Amino acid sequence: MDAATLSAVGVIVVGLAAAAAAVVGHRGANAASQSGVVITGSLGLVNELQEERNGLQVKLAEKERLLAAAYAELSNERADKAALHEQITALTAEKARLHERIVELGGQPT
């Protein structure tokens, strides 16, 4: 082979090597770019999840407050009901006593 042929083969080999290096470099750049997009996207998702979690914690606290208030109201209503039952029992006993007293006095209870 003469010098011109060797030079031409050398230029072709160097060109192919440069093209291969460009392809590999381009792939690396794409991978790095995609990696950056993935990291940015995942950080965005993490932030959204944290915001959603915080919102749900606020809602949960409000529901727990409402539930505690409902239990307190139920407890008060049960106490009121018990007091009314006691009053009914006392009034029923008083009614029976008054009926007996009317009969003792010679009257007719209605």
Side-chain angles (χ1 to χ4, degrees):
M1 283 197 182
D2 62 358
T5 306
L6 287 176
S7 293
V9 169
V11 168
I12 291 173
V13 170
V14 169
L16 289 174
V23 167
V24 170
H26 186 3
R27 284 185 184 171
N30 281 344
S33 174
Q34 289 175 353
S35 175
V37 169
V38 168
I39 290 173
T40 302
S42 65
L43 289 177
L45 289 174
V46 167
N47 288 337
E48 287 178 26
L49 289 173
Q50 288 174 342
E51 289 175 10
E52 184 177 355
R53 182 196 62 207
N54 292 341
L56 291 174
Q57 286 175 335
V58 168
K59 286 181 181 180
L60 177 62
E62 176 64 14
K63 298 302 179 193
E64 287 175 345
R65 185 191 66 76
L66 292 173
L67 182 61
Y71 274 123
E73 184 178 346
L74 178 62
S75 177
N76 291 337
E77 288 178 4
R78 285 181 177 166
D80 291 345
K81 181 180 177 183
L84 288 174
H85 277 293
E86 289 176 14
Q87 188 177 6
I88 289 169
T89 301
L91 290 172
T92 302
E94 180 69 13
K95 177 183 168 189
R97 189 188 67 75
L98 291 174
H99 275 269
E100 289 174 8
R101 184 71 179 139
I102 291 172
V103 170
E104 287 175 5
L105 295 173
Q108 290 292 328
T110 56

